[in-house]
Amino acid sequence: AATKPAAVATPPQPATSTDTDLPAKLEPADISAGTRAAKASAASRCAALAKGGERVKIRLSIAGPTGAVLESRAQADGGNPALAACSARELAAAQFKAVQKAQFGTVVTLKF
């Protein structure tokens, strides 16, 4: 069997003037869009831990230029630390659109 040469990874390019084309920060609609899939995943995967009626608040720290979640932690566990921890793990997978601001945070509320 013939083998193909390995793909060569391109090193990251230095910031260019096109970075200024990015929005300065996320708008509320962008945050909602970025958390939609992760919130649905948390609702599905963490529901078994819910007693019913809990509201957990998860604080996200987000890298602006990549839109990746740097940290996801429970800010308020609604009296159910296991549910909050599960929700924080799921929300860590959220992805946001890139922005100019280096890092920013938001709080996401989940109702069970």
Side-chain angles (χ1 to χ4, degrees), residues 44-66:
S44 171
R45 293 184 177 179
C46 304
L49 299 170
K51 297 171 186 135
E54 291 103 332
R55 291 172 63 124
V56 297
K57 292 184 179 186
I58 308 300
R59 174 99 179 132
L60 301 177
S61 294
I62 303 156
T66 64

Side-chain angles (χ1 to χ4, degrees), residues 26 31 59-64 96-97 99 101-106:
L26 289 180
I31 293 170
R59 174 99 179 132
L60 301 177
S61 294
I62 303 156
F96 300 88
K97 73 181 194 180
V99 295
K101 192 169 182 183
Q103 186 174 336
F104 59 94
T106 189

Side-chain angles (χ1 to χ4, degrees), residues 47-98:
L49 299 170
K51 297 171 186 135
E54 291 103 332
R55 291 172 63 124
V56 297
K57 292 184 179 186
I58 308 300
R59 174 99 179 132
L60 301 177
S61 294
I62 303 156
T66 64
V69 174
L70 299 172
E71 182 182 30
S72 176
R73 62 182 164 78
Q75 179 173 311
D77 66 17
N80 190 336
L83 178 63
C86 179
S87 299
R89 280 191 304 275
E90 294 303 316
L91 283 167
Q95 183 66 41
F96 300 88
K97 73 181 194 180

